Every structure is written in C-alpha cells, then in structure tokens.
Amino acid sequence: MIHKYKLNGYNIILDVNSGGVHIVDELTYDLLDNVKPPFEKECPANVIEKMQRFYQEREIRSCYEEVVELYNSGILYSDDDYEKYASYAVASPVKAMCLLISQDCNLRCEYCFASTGDYGCGRKLMDLTTGKQAIDFLLENSGDRENLELDFFGGEPLMNFEVVKQIVEYARSKEAEYKKRFRFTITTNGMLLNDDVIDFVNKEMSNVVLSVDGRPEVNDRVRKRVDGTGSYDRIMPKYKELVAKRGDKDYYVRATFTKYNLDFANDVFHLYKEGFDQLSAEPVVGDPSMPYAITEKELPRVFGEYERLAEMMLVNENKGKKFNFFHFMLDLDQGPCAIKRLRGCGSGNEYVAITPDGDIYPCHQFVGIEEYKMGNLMAGTFDMDIKKEFAAAHIYSKEECRKCWARFYCSGGCNANNYIYNHDIHAAHKLSCELEKKRLECAIMMKAARMVEKEHFED
Amino acid sequence: MMKHIVTINKANLKKSAEKGGCGKCQASCQSACKTSCTVANQKCEK
Ligand code: SF4
Ligand code: SF4
C-alpha cells in the first residue's frame, strides 16, 4: 500500500509498510496511478499508450524501471507482514500511570473534558495514603520494566501540591529497592506557580506541560477564572520564569484550539514570539453540539491552517527561527519499532489512571465511565478482562485502521475518543482520523522540504 | 542516483520489527499531549 499526495509543491509517496518516503516528479506521480505489483520487466504497452500524450516514451520507460527498482528493494508497495506480531498483543506490565491528584480546578475553561475538573463526580483531592498505594501498585505491576512514568494530572494538580511532593518523595525512596526509575511529569494551568513550585517542578519533573491557548484574547475567552476574568496575565510571566530556569529539560506549552480560533497557527506563533520553543496545539475534544466544537464543517479550515503552520514554520526555519511543534515531530529513521506502532498509547494495558478514590481506569479520559472501571486500589481489585481487551485493541483489530495508510504513525488512534464518540474502543473516530492524517502529511512534507533544502545548500 | 525519485529516509520499519517489541519505550499519551495519540514522534529507548 502506498499513500501519495501533493503538498507545498512536493509530490510525496509514502510506502506504508516499510515506512519509505519518496519525493517524485510529476511523471512518477501519474505513473503510480497506472501501475501496481506484480511488475513486469518493461513498462506495459497500454500504460505507455495512455501516458504518451503527456510524457515521452523514453521517460516513461526509465521511470517505470525506477519504480520497479524501489519495489525490488522493498521500499515501494512492500507487504504488510506485521500482523503476526499482533498476536503477541497480550497483557503487558503496567509501566505508566496518571494520578488524578486533584479532581478540582481553579479555572473554569469552557471546553474542559473533565467537567471543570471534577470529571462529573464531585470535587476531590487525592490523599497521601491513596497516592502511596498507587505507587505500590505501579511498582508491583510493572514486571521487568525499569522506567516508570507517573503523570500528575487533574483538575489542577498544583491544588494538591503538598501531596504531589510527598508522593514524589515516597516513590524516590522505593527506587533502589525495586531497581526502578520514576519519571514524573505534570500538567498545569499555571495559576498556582510560585518560586517554590517552579524549583520543585524543574528538579523533579522530567516533563511539564504548561497550558495556555495562545494570544491573550483567545486564551481569556475560554480559559477563565472562577470570577469570569481571564488567566493569561497571571500565567504567562510564570511560564516564562519556569522555562528560563529549566535548562534543557523537556517542557511543552500546550494550547487547545476550538472553533473560536481556527487561525490557531497565529496562536502557535504568538507563543513562539513570547519565547517558547516547545509547542503543542490540540483540537478540542467534546460534544459536537457545543459552540466551540470542531466538527466536519470546520475541517477544511483546520486542514488549511495546519498547512499554513507547516509552511510558516519552514520559512522561519530558513531564517534560523526554529521551534518544535509536537504534532509535526516525526522521526522517519529512528522512530519507535513497528511492534510498538501496532498499539500506540497503551491505555488500559500498560497505562492506567487512578482517581482520588483509588479507582483504576484505562486512562484519564475514561474516568467516570463505569463500564470501564478496572478496579480499586483499596479493594485490591484489578480487572484482567478489561486489561486483555485493551491489550488486544491494535491496528489489526480495528476495522478502519487495518486499511488506513496512517496506521504505523497513528497506531490506531485514541481508544477514549473512539469510545466517547462511537461507544466502541475499536471504532475509529473519523474526525480525529482526518486531523491525524493531515498532521502526518504536513510532518512528512516538512521532512522532505528540509532534506531538499539541505541538498540544495550542499550543492 | 535516480532521475525521477528521491528517497528521503532509510525506510527501516521492517528491520525495527525484528529486534523490536521490548516495551521499554515511553507510553505515548503521557505528558506531552493528553488527547491526540501520537506515536511516531517517540524515541526508541534501546
Ligand atoms: S485511528 Fe484513524 S487515522 Fe489512526 S490508524 Fe486508525 S483509521 Fe487511521
Ligand atoms: S486512550 Fe486516548 S486519551 Fe487515553 S491514553 Fe490513549 S490516546 Fe491518551
């Protein structure tokens, strides 16, 4: 299977199963509509006849030979022979956990999927005992995995900062005994950042996600305080301070975009101009009937905006102005192995979320969905059937993904989105798929553009 | 050197499968983005 598309002046061919990416001329682009394996030694006469109106016969023949050569090298129309690995998709050790350390929030963002922090289940903070039990659970269920990931999430995690600190201390105290290493991460809205918190976060958190939606008016329209005023002025100076002190540790400034800012590339560039170079912008998730929702109707605008962002980034890079945009980052040579790509996020299998009550869910987005409650820390229950169901949710068990050209990059999408929109973790959420595919096309195009640029330079 | 086609990467997905599957890499939705699953931008930790 191949995927071919044109973007920003490039004709791009992705060989889905080998991961090969090729830039081709018009002739090859057209030829690939007319030929497919099994290939003959020479270009079939009917193909030449058909294409002769536009191209010289000699050129068509030489192009055909190149296509066949790539095919023989296994980087064009290569086979999908990974399904055998999917059968290894059995329950794995749990290696990552999301702690809903605070089911409460000090902002009232219009679009919050957690119902302004409480996941629709009442405002609550996790206590230290539950936090410790969660750490013990992770240590005991992580098998031979040495690196354990623990994400502090909310609501707003810093509303329970004392417990965050104590949980980190407790987890660190167990590392030597269990021969494990914790990697902590935190997502915050910035409202409670102060010098102490910043120092702690920079010391202990291997990644921090700082939420802000971009331009002041865009941010303040949706990310509001309880009294209805905006949050931008309060959080931006704190984010700058945190990042300035952070050294080369990872962080992301993360924006959510909605129907209100379909020109979100301007928000990404706003954040860059404010001094941040690790950026992310996510489409809002939620009820399609809400006024901020991104629906099918907005797709063309959003596609155009992703393209504009990609092109603007390339132009800026040539002037030495470079930043990372999370969704356009792609390693075409050293990315994750094909086996990892069959299953993606690992929710419900390698990854679980824990609520303040000690309830275990497949991930933060499943919290409150009774059907998928996997167990409870205090009760010592953990439903292996649900775990197996998630372990088996790979690209070959998902109807749309099996056939999709993006499957080894997207890895079957978001189980939670699938459930929320389609009541089935295996049923791809079409809108998310369209967005994912557009982002991938942009990301691959950027790789191609950078390479061409480099060659040009070296000539 | 091909005239019509430039291949821009090593296309080593198949090779990665032979040695892959150790499971040591990061879980994907963790930390950086909490809704869109993006796997291909991750690193192999081997
Ligand atoms: S979730 Fe959608 S985009 Fe991703 S692999 Fe499946 S069908 Fe393709
Ligand atoms: S199911 Fe979706 S939200 Fe949950 S961990 Fe996976 S990608 Fe993230």
Side-chain angles (χ1 to χ4, degrees):
Chain A
M1 180 184 206
I2 62 167
H3 174 63
K4 62 198 265 290
Y5 65 100
K6 292 176 186 247
L7 188 57
N8 197 20
Y10 298 96
N11 299 333
I12 298 171
I13 310 290
L14 168 70
D15 182 49
V16 172
N17 299 318
S18 69
V21 176
H22 317 283
I23 313 176
V24 303
D25 60 7
E26 284 303 315
L27 165 55
T28 315
Y29 197 81
D30 290 345
L31 183 68
L32 286 171
D33 285 332
N34 294 289
V35 298
K36 61 170 192 288
F39 289 108
E40 292 163 35
K41 239 182 127 201
E42 300 216 339
C43 189
N46 63 329
V47 174
I48 293 187
E49 195 184 326
K50 186 170 166 198
M51 295 187 67
Q52 235 171 2
R53 276 177 54 208
F54 308 102
Y55 305 99
Q56 288 180 352
E57 180 177 345
R58 196 165 38 93
E59 292 295 313
I60 302 171
R61 287 186 186 281
S62 86
C63 183
Y64 187 83
E65 279 168 24
E66 291 186 11
V67 165
V68 175
E69 194 179 326
L70 291 191
Y71 172 71
N72 289 335
S73 319
I75 52 177
L76 195 71
Y77 288 112
S78 58
D79 291 329
D80 184 339
D81 44 20
Y82 305 109
E83 191 161 359
K84 56 177 182 274
Y85 299 109
S87 60
Y88 304 162
V90 289
S92 315
V94 179
K95 66 181 181 190
M97 182 181 264
C98 175
L99 287 188
L100 300 174
I101 193 80
S102 161
Q103 260 180 357
D104 194 359
C105 194
N106 45 10
L107 286 184
R108 294 291 177 270
C109 304
E110 193 181 325
Y111 49 61
C112 185
F113 74 83
S115 307
T116 64
D118 72 348
Y119 291 80
C121 2
R123 302 189 177 276
K124 257 182 210 148
L125 300 181
M126 183 178 285
D127 63 20
L128 182 59
T129 313
T130 309
K132 283 183 175 175
Q133 277 175 324
I135 296 291
D136 293 340
F137 176 89
L138 185 54
L139 287 167
E140 275 148 31
N141 286 282
S142 53
D144 62 353
R145 301 290 187 262
E146 284 163 20
N147 292 320
L148 305 180
E149 294 158 50
L150 194 91
D151 190 43
F152 293 102
F153 201 63
E156 170 49 38
L158 293 180
M159 289 181 80
N160 201 6
F161 181 55
E162 280 311 310
V163 174
V164 171
K165 278 204 300 203
Q166 288 165 327
I167 292 175
V168 167
E169 193 186 320
Y170 178 75
R172 290 270 183 249
S173 77
K174 298 275 171 183
E175 285 182 323
E177 178 191 338
Y178 282 85
K179 295 200 179 60
K180 310 261 179 189
R181 254 203 79 67
F182 280 95
R183 271 186 200 160
F184 299 106
T185 55
I186 193 164
T187 301
T188 180
N189 64 23
M191 294 298 288
L192 294 173
L193 286 176
N194 59 31
D195 288 351
D196 281 352
V197 178
I198 289 175
D199 289 344
F200 176 82
V201 164
N202 281 345
K203 177 162 173 271
E204 293 290 358
M205 302 289 153
S206 65
N207 202 342
V208 50
V209 180
L210 308 168
S211 303
V212 55
D213 287 353
R215 291 162 291 178
E217 63 279 15
V218 170
N219 182 80
D220 288 350
R221 175 161 184 186
V222 278
R223 301 188 67 82
K224 291 191 197 119
R225 305 187 200 207
V226 181
D227 67 9
T229 59
S231 55
Y232 184 93
D233 288 343
R234 156 96 204 160
I235 59 180
M236 279 300 260
K238 295 292 169 200
Y239 288 170
K240 287 179 189 175
E241 192 186 330
L242 185 150
V243 169
K245 287 184 176 168
R246 196 159 168 79
D248 52 13
K249 273 191 172 172
D250 290 337
Y251 73 91
Y252 272 99
V253 170
R254 181 201 191 280
T256 297
F257 66 85
T258 69
K259 197 197 275 182
Y260 303 147
N261 62 321
L262 294 172
D263 60 346
F264 59 89
N266 293 340
D267 294 291
V268 173
F269 270 87
H270 171 81
L271 294 169
Y272 172 65
K273 282 187 199 122
E274 289 296 313
F276 304 109
D277 59 5
Q278 305 298 322
L279 305 173
S280 153
E282 291 270 329
V284 69
V285 178
D287 184 344
S289 67
M290 296 310 266
Y292 54 75
I294 290 178
T295 65
E296 207 90 356
K297 237 180 79 206
E298 279 72 50
L299 274 187
R301 275 289 302 279
V302 176
F303 286 175
E305 195 62 8
Y306 275 127
E307 290 179 8
R308 192 170 75 95
L309 176 61
E311 287 163 24
M312 277 162 69
M313 283 177 71
L314 287 170
V315 170
N316 273 275
E317 278 174 24
N318 287 335
K319 298 187 208 144
K321 295 184 189 164
K322 208 172 150 75
F323 62 85
N324 276 327
F325 179 70
F326 184 78
H327 279 131
F328 290 165
M329 285 161 71
L330 187 61
D331 188 337
L332 291 176
D333 288 319
Q334 302 294 333
C337 66
I339 296 169
K340 160 93 176 181
R341 293 170 189 239
L342 305 182
R343 224 170 22 183
C345 72
S347 65
N349 180 29
E350 299 175 310
Y351 173 50
V352 294
I354 309 287
T355 70
D357 293 325
D359 289 337
I360 308 170
Y361 285 96
C363 84
H364 53 289
Q365 289 255 28
F366 280 98
V367 167
I369 300 172
E370 199 55 28
E371 190 186 339
Y372 277 113
K373 185 167 142 184
M374 300 177 79
N376 181 279
L377 293 177
M378 288 87 190
T381 49
F382 190 40
D383 187 328
M384 282 298 163
D385 288 337
I386 298 184
K387 195 167 191 294
K388 279 188 208 137
E389 182 185 343
F390 277 85
H394 47 69
I395 56 173
Y396 298 103
S397 66
K398 297 177 178 174
E399 195 54 41
E400 289 91 346
C401 306
R402 277 190 90 92
K403 304 176 289 204
C404 173
W405 67 263
R407 60 185 180 271
F408 296 116
Y409 301 86
C410 158
S411 301
C414 168
N415 291 329
N417 267 355
N418 293 353
Y419 182 83
I420 292 164
Y421 291 104
N422 298 326
H423 275 269
D424 177 359
I425 64 168
H426 299 94
H429 175 232
K430 223 178 132 242
L431 192 79
S432 304
C433 297
E434 295 306 317
L435 294 170
E436 171 74 13
K437 287 190 274 193
K438 176 50 79 178
R439 291 191 294 250
L440 266 171
E441 288 189 343
C442 290
I444 294 172
M445 180 278 287
M446 291 176 82
K447 288 277 166 195
R450 287 191 194 111
M451 205 194 86
V452 171
E453 194 65 34
K454 213 169 111 213
E455 302 236 308
H456 195 68
F457 196 67
E458 281 162 2
D459 274 351
Chain B
M1 190 69 192
M2 292 199 172
K3 197 174 143 206
H4 304 278
I5 304 174
V6 186
T7 300
I8 71 163
N9 68 341
K10 296 197 200 93
N12 48 14
L13 210 51
K14 297 244 160 160
K15 243 200 248 149
S16 78
E18 288 158 23
K19 294 198 203 120
C22 74
K24 296 200 171 118
C25 46
Q26 231 177 309
S28 312
C29 188
Q30 281 295 84
S31 67
C33 79
K34 276 286 184 183
T35 44
S36 306
C37 177
T38 308
V39 173
N41 62 10
Q42 286 200 315
K43 289 192 273 275
C44 170
E45 304 216 2
K46 260 212 224 171

